[in-house]
Amino acid sequence: MTDVRLPTAVLLASTLVFACATKPPPPPPPPPPAAPAPVAAPAPPGPVPLEHWAEVHPEAARELGDWARAHPQAAKRFFEWDGHHPEKSHEVVTWTVAHPSEGIDAFIAAHPGMPVFNEVMTRHRPAAEAFMAWCRRHPPAAEALMNHPRGLEWVGHHLYKM
């Protein structure tokens, strides 16, 4: 019997070819991480000048305008009431944001000293409920607006022409 010895280099090369041919390909690289979801820009620090409120809170300003056009009589009364009682309208917004699960009747019961507002809330209940919902959807914008005495009256006249 003849001893046939392959040179070491041929033996190594054939082993490498065999190993590569029978091994599955490496998995593809993982996909790049998804871009983070856009986040609404935070309100700038400090009070926003009333003239820039709609620029800083564009979605809230648009929705408040939609509310005013959908409920023009109530909006006019709310805007006028804010002009005469800015501290009380501020209280309405602050309470509404702080009590997200309570409605108009709970507010009226907790604030018996506001007969004009309570009458407006009762006569224009759908508009009042929609206003409260707006406050709860946009608390920073509502509070920023109310931090200006007569701010609601101002936007009513200057932005919504009421």
Side-chain angles (χ1 to χ4, degrees), residues 18 24 91 103 140:
F18 177 75
E91 189 174 344

Side-chain angles (χ1 to χ4, degrees), residues 13-40:
S14 63
T15 304
L16 183 61
V17 169
F18 177 75
C20 289
T22 59
K23 197 175 197 182
V39 177

Side-chain angles (χ1 to χ4, degrees), residues 120-131:
V120 170
M121 292 284 257
T122 303
R123 287 185 62 192
H124 300 285
R125 190 175 190 97
E129 289 173 345
F131 180 76

